Amino acid sequence: MVQKAKILLVDDRPENLLALEAILSALDQTLVRASSGEEALKALLTDDFAVILLDVQMPGMDGFETAAHIKRRERTRDIPIIFLTAINHGPHHTFRGYAAGAVDYISKPFDPWVLRAKVSVFVELYMKNCQLKEQAALLRLQLEGNGGSGGTGKDVVGDSKEAAGILAELSARLAAVEEQAEALSKQLDDESADAAAVATAAHLERKLTGLRRALDALEPGASGGPTAVS
């Protein structure tokens, strides 16, 4: 059974949270509410989230300050943040959002279809990341078990070939994603490219780099365990 991804919705207005839930319910993921920056930070202490939708204008700790706290924590610094705001003070205000670590900055009222599509991209990336980490961990256990098992040489050789086959398949899948990411980055080299798309592509490249390091650590003869992928 595939575990659902968690999406954190942060807004001080209950009606806005209700609207976000209505828009994102079609994704069939777990939606977690937070009515303040402090409540959001508390939720992030125990749960892992695929993406955070964060309102900018909130009493007390606003969205920018909340994002700063999120990015300072090692556990949460790589979680994508989409800022939502009811006001638009111009390019400098948008730039502040990206400077705070957001991957996107959307002004209200927003197109529900666009928001749902943007969130779905990060949910899919998160799920693929989790699946690859699980497969890599299982493969590492299998390789370690082969090294110290009391089975016959034939069994060990067979298991090693199976493990090598799985490793090759994972590497090929990751290579295909890397190729797509590289093509996307080339398309975004144009100065007129959307800032949100550029930020998203950069985030994807960082994730893929971490996954490649983790996979390389599983290669025969690699020293140490797999690199952690956040």
Side-chain angles (χ1 to χ4, degrees):
M1 182 177 179
V2 179
Q3 186 176 2
K4 294 182 179 181
K6 292 184 178 180
I7 302 171
L8 183 58
L9 313 177
V10 189
D11 199 303
D12 63 297
R13 300 175 67 90
E15 61 270 27
N16 290 343
L17 290 172
L18 189 62
L20 288 174
E21 288 175 338
I23 293 171
L24 300 176
S25 60
L27 297 180
D28 193 28
Q29 304 300 326
T30 302
L31 306 177
V32 179
R33 284 189 176 200
S35 58
S36 66
E38 292 85 354
E39 191 175 333
L41 295 175
K42 185 179 297 184
L44 288 163
L45 287 174
T46 54
D47 290 328
D48 294 324
F49 291 90
V51 61
I52 302 170
L53 274 63
L54 181 57
D55 184 40
V56 173
Q57 299 296 120
M58 294 188 295
M61 184 184 297
D62 66 11
F64 295 131
E65 187 178 354
T66 302
H69 283 288
I70 293 172
K71 293 303 177 182
R72 280 199 292 266
R73 294 178 178 176
E74 184 176 357
R75 174 188 173 92
T76 59
R77 63 187 178 189
D78 288 329
I79 302 177
I81 298 174
I82 298 178
F83 272 135
L84 304 176
T85 178
I87 58 175
N88 187 357
H89 291 306
H92 70 283
H93 199 64
T94 303
F95 175 78
R96 186 183 175 191
Y98 290 123
V103 297
D104 211 340
Y105 192 98
I106 304 176
S107 297
K108 303 174 185 177
F110 44 78
D111 187 327
W113 293 94
V114 172
L115 179 63
R116 187 161 51 240
K118 288 177 180 290
V119 171
S120 68
V121 169
F122 291 108
V123 168
E124 183 177 0
L125 177 60
Y126 174 83
M127 299 295 283
K128 293 294 185 184
N129 189 18
C130 289
Q131 291 172 11
L132 191 54
K133 284 196 294 183
E134 290 174 359
Q135 291 173 331
L138 289 173
L139 182 57
R140 168 61 68 181
L141 289 174
Q142 186 174 12
L143 292 173
E144 291 176 349
N146 288 340
S149 66
T152 65
K154 183 178 180 180
D155 292 336
V156 172
V157 170
D159 289 341
S160 297
K161 287 183 177 180
E162 181 181 356
I166 296 174
L167 185 60
E169 182 180 353
L170 289 175
S171 182
R173 290 182 182 182
L174 181 57
V177 179
E178 288 172 332
E179 184 177 348
Q180 294 174 356
E182 183 179 359
L184 176 61
S185 296
K186 288 181 179 179
Q187 293 177 2
L188 296 176
D189 282 342
D190 190 338
E191 293 183 359
S192 62
D194 179 68
V198 173
T200 301
H203 179 81
L204 176 59
E205 287 183 350
R206 290 196 299 271
K207 288 287 188 181
L208 291 176
T209 299
L211 290 173
R212 175 55 68 183
R213 286 200 301 265
L215 201 56
D216 288 344
L218 295 174
E219 292 286 352
S223 59
T227 304
V229 182
S230 58

